[in-house]
Amino acid sequence: MEKGRYAPSPSGRMHLGNLMCTLLAWLSARAQGGQVVLRIEDLDVARCPRAYADLLEQDLNWLGLGWDEGGSTGGPDGSYYQSERSHIYQEYYDRLAEMGLVYPCFCSRSQLHAASAPHRSDGQVLYAGTCRGLAPAEVAERSRQRPPAWRVQVPDRTVAFTDGHMGPYAENLAADCGDFLLRRADGVFAYQLAVVVDDALMGVTQVVRGADLLTSTPRQLWLYETLGLPAPKFYHLPLLLAPDGRRLSKRDGDVSLEQLAARYTPAEIIGRLAFAAGLQEEPAPRTPEQLLPDFDWAKVPKEDICLPAGLF
Ligand code: GLU
């Protein structure tokens, strides 16, 4: 059975970009007769208080985007809140450590972002491997001064895959990704590890998410393989832009669900979003169920989607 998922990090009310992703995840799983898991990605608990997760559940229910397991509904996989799953991440982290792939990193923010630091294609800093191979005595000495973060050493290998929507994508882990963080200095596990462990243990077979995470996928596929976990199929969605081409952001006053809910019915919001995503020809009101029979990934554009002016 197909299993999709919503994996929100609720640090506020949902905006249109989150909604588009949620709608597509629901449609893609349901169109294949599948179920949907709701996993709350609140690793950063200070930014993602439970109240926002609860509000998100209310919003999803109001919109008709229900889920089968997870969130406060619970299910067979223990807690569906990442903040309560550290003991599970620890197990998989330990496996990587036993393989000799994990090392402490003492680099400060400013060292990592030095002007000379190489950059990846997604604009992030490529870690230069500065702390790889530090002598044990040096590690002990530096650990006394401050706790390290922990990185995983990636091989010089190209990971290629075919995205269900975007098509073929490949990255050389050493050159394009670099050794990445598994655990922050404050002990919080990194998204890259948690997302892989959770999607595998929760039996997720398809991941629908924004194209901003396309570049994270090769390293996640490598983690699945290295940990001997089954990898899902990936569908990356184009980003949703404001009518003037800006990235949507709350700071710029882009509509959150709070404002939308005051102006539109759920079916009006879903219908307009479906229109913007190429799933129907008119912005007519639709429930998610009404969109199911004609749902087809081929209708969704691959390039960024600019919201038509005046649509919302
Ligand atoms: N929690 C992430 C976010 O809200 C999504 C991660 C994923 O879909 O893999 O951006």
Side-chain angles (χ1 to χ4, degrees), residues 5-308:
R5 46 81 148 175
Y6 309 145
S9 300
S11 59
R13 203 85 182 257
M14 281 197 281
H15 58 65
L16 282 170
N18 309 134
L19 268 178
M20 175 78 97
C21 191
T22 310
L23 174 63
L24 269 291
W26 188 94
L27 286 170
S28 180
R30 297 282 191 235
Q32 296 175 57
Q35 296 198 331
V36 179
V37 176
L38 169 60
R39 182 176 64 249
I40 305 294
E41 303 216 322
D42 58 352
L43 285 168
D44 197 339
V45 269
R47 282 188 60 236
C48 304
R50 189 61 63 94
Y52 283 138
D54 294 345
L55 198 54
L56 178 114
E57 291 198 351
Q58 283 176 32
D59 287 339
L60 292 177
N61 282 322
W62 183 73
L63 288 161
L65 295 168
W67 60 98
D68 302 283
E69 64 182 84
S72 64
T73 311
D77 288 303
S79 174
Y80 287 77
Y81 295 83
Q82 288 191 326
S83 58
E84 296 174 350
R85 294 174 60 82
S86 299
H87 57 293
I88 302 174
Y89 309 138
Q90 180 76 54
E91 251 176 68
Y92 287 88
Y93 173 92
D94 288 345
R95 288 194 202 177
L96 293 167
E98 280 156 24
M99 293 178 215
L101 294 175
V102 179
Y103 65 88
C105 173
F106 297 91
C107 294
S108 65
R109 247 190 128 64
S110 56
Q111 275 171 303
L112 291 174
H113 292 85
S116 57
H119 281 73
R120 301 197 303 237
S121 58
D122 63 0
Q124 301 287 316
V125 172
L126 181 80
Y127 184 64
T130 317
C131 293
R132 199 192 300 143
L134 285 182
E138 174 123 38
V139 169
E141 169 63 25
R142 291 205 197 181
S143 301
R144 271 194 288 279
Q145 283 151 33
R146 66 198 202 107
W150 298 85
R151 290 181 186 272
V152 65
Q153 185 169 345
V154 296
D156 181 4
R157 213 183 92 192
T158 296
V159 175
F161 76 104
T162 301
D163 188 81
H165 184 53
M166 295 296 194
Y169 184 78
E171 210 174 68
N172 178 282
L173 292 177
D176 304 324
C177 168
D179 296 347
F180 58 92
L181 282 182
L182 285 186
R183 194 170 199 178
R184 299 190 329 203
D186 62 5
V188 175
F189 288 101
Y191 154 74
Q192 304 289 351
L193 177 67
V195 76
V196 164
V197 169
D198 284 347
D199 280 333
L201 296 188
M202 293 175 183
V204 168
T205 60
Q206 55 171 281
V207 165
V208 174
R209 60 188 184 189
D212 50 332
L213 288 167
L214 186 62
T215 56
S216 283
T217 309
R219 85 191 77 157
Q220 292 176 7
L221 284 167
W222 173 73
L223 278 180
Y224 281 107
E225 188 192 305
T226 307
L227 290 167
L229 296 170
K233 187 161 177 61
F234 290 91
Y235 296 83
H236 285 89
L237 269 188
L239 295 183
L240 197 56
L241 304 177
D244 61 5
R246 280 181 300 109
R247 276 191 75 155
L248 292 173
S249 88
K250 275 182 216 132
R251 213 184 33 225
D252 293 327
D254 288 318
V255 268
S256 75
L257 200 52
E258 189 168 0
Q259 290 149 293
L260 291 172
R263 294 192 344 230
Y264 303 107
T265 64
E268 283 170 338
I269 298 172
I270 298 287
R272 282 169 161 81
L273 269 177
F275 169 69
L279 296 174
Q280 63 169 349
E281 313 243 309
E282 304 285 333
R286 290 279 180 274
T287 62
E289 275 85 7
Q290 288 171 331
L291 294 168
L292 265 185
D294 295 325
F295 174 72
D296 186 351
W297 271 108
K299 294 181 184 169
V300 180
K302 291 189 169 61
E303 318 74 46
D304 291 352
I305 298 174
C306 227
L307 274 171

